[in-house]
Amino acid sequence: MMIKIHRAVALSGLGLAAIMGTSGAMAQQNLSTYVTAANGASDVQIATAAAVQRTCTSLSSGTLGGGTQTGGLNLPANTSRRDLFLRCNELVQSAQALQGLQGRTRSLGLTKEQLLAAVQQVSGEELAAQGSLSTQVSSGQFANISGRLNALRFGGTTAAARGRVASLDTQPRNRELYAGNDTLPRLGGGASSDSQGADRPWGWFVESSYGFGDHDQTANEDAFDFDSVSVSTGTDYNFGNAVLGFSVGFDRYSADFDTATLISGGDAQVEGVSGSLFGAYFGERLSINGIASYGSLKSDITRRAQYEQSTSVVCDLGCGTSRDFKGSPDGSYVALGLTLSHDFSAGGWDVTPSLTGSYRNVDIDSYSERDTSANGGLALAYDDQTIKSTRSILGIAISRPISKAFGVLTPNFRAEWHHEFEDDARTLRAKYVVENEVIPTDRNNFACAISCFAFSTNPADSDFGVAGVGLSATFAQRMQAYVYYEALLGAADLTSNSIALGLRGSF
């Protein structure tokens, strides 16, 4: 993207106070007194406007000028501090002009709606999406291990009964389909004496899935389209009535921010590498599955700020901006899941109700983004994040094995109701990188009195549904393959779909 930052060379004979616009009566009509709920501003816009106003005042007075430097337009040319002053000053003067102050020579000439959008452009609210994507790495691996892929952000903590851990090596309740066919597996509840299970107890699996969807624009979070890729491979040992195994996985989740009034594009990508342990015990009717995962996270985030002055005004020193900001924070996660399920048959159908409890903790490191504009000063530093999820999941799976000459086909359907106990909005904290450069001892303080501000994400959905349909095929030599489609239901501002393919064998 070409970056256009227009600057004038001379002051056109204007007085310094008129350009700075932050002293005397002018200070009573500034950005923070205009960007309010009464004028239709969102919480993130209000918090950002207050931080911009404080930063501009501090740069004017020299507080953030580097100690001995005079502030405002006397800040050294071609420095991030001067650029930050010019950008905050044009927003302040635009608000003053809208409040009726004359002679605002650096006003962008914006309407109220345009000014609120410009404030949001410099807020850094894209960080909310990065946190959401980071939580999905564990989701992808849990879904792969359990044999199906749940929806992005919401369903990945289910260790499904008769899923990856249990069903691929478990004889269906309709045992008559297997009678007389010694090439098909007969393991699971009550089948510990099966000779094939004893001879080849080791199993392997490969799973891949693709997900896609979109997130709507809200007051706190930006609109974006997303897709995901998840791959897992692992091995397990079948004890007859129990399975124990491990897997490794790779996940990539990507989001492209929409270009609209409140946002000018950008993207976020989170990759994760993980290891998981899983196990199951299954009897004739009752079974229990468990999964534990640990992984590392690597993110790449590009956010974009773009607003221009109105064509009806001439703004001294050049106004408006179009630039990108890039950051690469790291992180890690721990995820645990436990499922209890019960099997019974009804009219030739296998029915499995289940109850799952899950816990997930995601930590994302603090980081400072880079302003792609030379000597740009709009880059933000972000505090670290901790994202927790504690969830109960009620599910029911229905399947019916169909005997064929080559093996057994099993169509299946599953529906779940998720209840999230950690449904409060998360608070994100940021400040301008310039403040870290000028006051390095305050680097880890995000409750400072100058440029620091906080904003909230959307609260998590406390209740929503997930439904899916799939088909598995069991062949001779204990080979099994399946395909599974799943969709998210009833979540606010989010649609999500996924399809998974799996292959499993023994050795």
Side-chain angles (χ1 to χ4, degrees), residues 4-150:
K4 300 178 180 177
I5 304 175
H6 307 289
R7 302 181 187 274
V9 177
L11 301 184
S12 303
L14 297 172
L16 183 60
I19 294 177
M20 292 168 64
T22 56
S23 61
M26 301 174 187
Q28 305 304 313
Q29 293 175 287
N30 54 37
L31 189 63
S32 57
T33 60
Y34 186 79
V35 180
T36 62
N39 277 332
S42 66
D43 289 343
V44 65
Q45 292 168 349
I46 293 171
T48 304
V52 169
Q53 181 65 59
R54 292 193 305 269
T55 301
C56 208
T57 301
S58 297
L59 287 167
S60 298
S61 64
T63 305
L64 285 180
T68 60
Q69 294 290 341
T70 303
L73 295 177
N74 289 322
L75 288 166
N78 300 319
T79 63
S80 58
R81 285 168 289 153
R82 182 180 173 89
D83 177 68
L84 178 57
F85 172 75
L86 291 175
R87 303 288 73 79
C88 71
N89 176 248
E90 65 198 14
L91 294 176
V92 169
Q93 289 213 8
S94 296
Q96 291 174 341
L98 287 170
Q99 294 174 89
L101 285 182
Q102 302 299 313
R104 302 300 91 206
T105 59
R106 299 203 69 250
S107 168
L108 294 162
L110 304 179
T111 65
K112 177 182 70 175
E113 291 74 16
Q114 290 171 333
L115 178 60
L116 295 180
V119 169
Q120 185 149 334
Q121 292 279 336
V122 299
S123 68
E125 81 284 358
E126 292 90 338
L127 190 67
Q130 183 254 345
S132 298
L133 294 177
S134 295
T135 65
Q136 301 318 305
V137 173
S138 60
S139 298
Q141 290 305 307
F142 265 49
N144 287 351
I145 296 169
S146 63
R148 56 188 180 80
L149 181 68
N150 288 324

Side-chain angles (χ1 to χ4, degrees), residues 221-262:
E221 298 185 15
D222 291 323
F224 58 85
D225 300 322
F226 61 82
D227 58 28
S228 65
V229 176
S230 182
V231 180
S232 302
T233 184
T235 186
D236 54 45
Y237 188 90
N238 194 309
F239 296 91
N241 280 54
V243 171
L244 184 65
F246 71 92
S247 68
V248 294
F250 170 80
D251 299 81
R252 185 183 69 234
Y253 291 80
S254 302
D256 292 316
F257 296 107
D258 295 347
T259 300
T261 303
L262 296 177

Side-chain angles (χ1 to χ4, degrees), residues 18 38 60 95 98 125 132 311 347 356 362 382 471 505:
S60 298
L98 287 170
E125 81 284 358
S132 298
T311 57
T356 296
V362 180
Y382 301 95
L471 178 67

Side-chain angles (χ1 to χ4, degrees), residues 159-247:
R162 299 302 187 212
R164 162 71 78 241
V165 173
S167 69
L168 294 187
D169 284 331
T170 303
Q171 179 181 351
R173 301 270 72 87
N174 302 64
R175 300 172 188 271
E176 64 274 9
L177 292 176
Y178 282 65
N181 190 343
D182 293 332
T183 64
L184 297 179
R186 290 190 292 175
L187 304 176
S192 60
S193 62
D194 183 273
S195 61
Q196 289 192 31
D199 293 340
R200 293 191 292 175
W202 287 99
W204 59 267
F205 67 88
V206 177
E207 169 98 17
S208 63
S209 59
Y210 174 75
F212 59 94
D214 60 78
H215 185 285
D216 296 335
Q217 180 74 44
T218 69
N220 296 322
E221 298 185 15
D222 291 323
F224 58 85
D225 300 322
F226 61 82
D227 58 28
S228 65
V229 176
S230 182
V231 180
S232 302
T233 184
T235 186
D236 54 45
Y237 188 90
N238 194 309
F239 296 91
N241 280 54
V243 171
L244 184 65
F246 71 92
S247 68

Side-chain angles (χ1 to χ4, degrees), residues 442-455:
D442 213 25
R443 185 175 299 275
N444 295 321
N445 179 15
F446 284 85
C448 59
I450 302 177
S451 71
C452 298
F453 63 102
F455 53 96

